[in-house]
Amino acid sequence: MASFVRTIQQEEKLEYIEEILSRSDHYIPLKFYPRRVHPGDFIYLAYRGKIVGRALVERIEPVADEVLIGSERRSYQAECLVRYKGGWQRSPRDIPFEGCQGIRYLDRVGLESLDSEQW
């Protein structure tokens, strides 16, 4: 598996994170194409030093236009959209994660065991 973590900027308000976690069958934009990711892998969401949820990747599709993101709906130049199916599973415990720009694969940050956990 090639599950990965996407960090949400710390200046976002908790309400925006709750909005994301309440969505189902939606997408997360990325600035570059995560070549190792396949349908069935997880996308994890990190916010203010913790992993707060995960969703099952359905597909990744290229995008040609800018995408609006964030609580202020700013423009974001995305290369692709990571489409996920179903809803977000909320983290059952505190899982520390140091924020990053872009994404981090779980196996690169020592968190690959998260995929096998029941949430």
Side-chain angles (χ1 to χ4, degrees):
M1 294 194 69
S3 296
F4 66 97
V5 181
R6 170 74 164 97
T7 302
I8 299 297
Q9 295 180 341
Q10 68 179 0
E11 63 264 7
E12 289 293 353
K13 293 185 167 60
L14 185 57
E15 292 81 19
Y16 177 63
I17 304 308
E18 289 299 322
E19 177 189 326
I20 292 172
L21 294 175
S22 68
R23 295 176 185 160
S24 61
D25 301 325
H26 203 59
Y27 64 86
I28 296 287
L30 295 179
K31 285 192 180 202
F32 62 92
Y33 196 94
R35 305 218 183 280
R36 293 177 49 194
V37 177
H38 299 287
D41 291 338
F42 285 106
I43 177 172
Y44 289 81
L45 197 64
Y47 176 66
R48 294 189 178 172
K50 295 179 185 171
I51 292 178
V52 295
R54 73 179 181 186
L56 200 58
V57 173
E58 180 177 35
R59 69 183 183 279
I60 300 173
E61 57 190 43
V63 82
D65 298 321
E66 291 190 347
V67 178
L68 296 179
I69 64 160
S71 56
E72 311 251 334
R73 301 296 187 244
R74 5 182 231 291
S75 183
Y76 181 85
Q77 186 61 50
E79 182 177 320
C80 68
L81 300 178
V82 176
R83 297 258 179 206
Y84 56 88
K85 62 181 173 183
W88 287 88
Q89 300 171 4
R90 292 176 185 259
S91 178
R93 58 185 169 78
D94 280 350
I95 303 171
F97 182 79
E98 187 174 325
C100 64
Q101 291 184 1
I103 67 167
R104 293 290 182 265
Y105 292 102
L106 292 186
D107 63 350
R108 299 264 170 99
V109 293
L111 294 172
E112 59 269 19
S113 64
L114 290 179
D115 279 350
S116 60
E117 288 184 12
Q118 289 288 82
W119 284 26

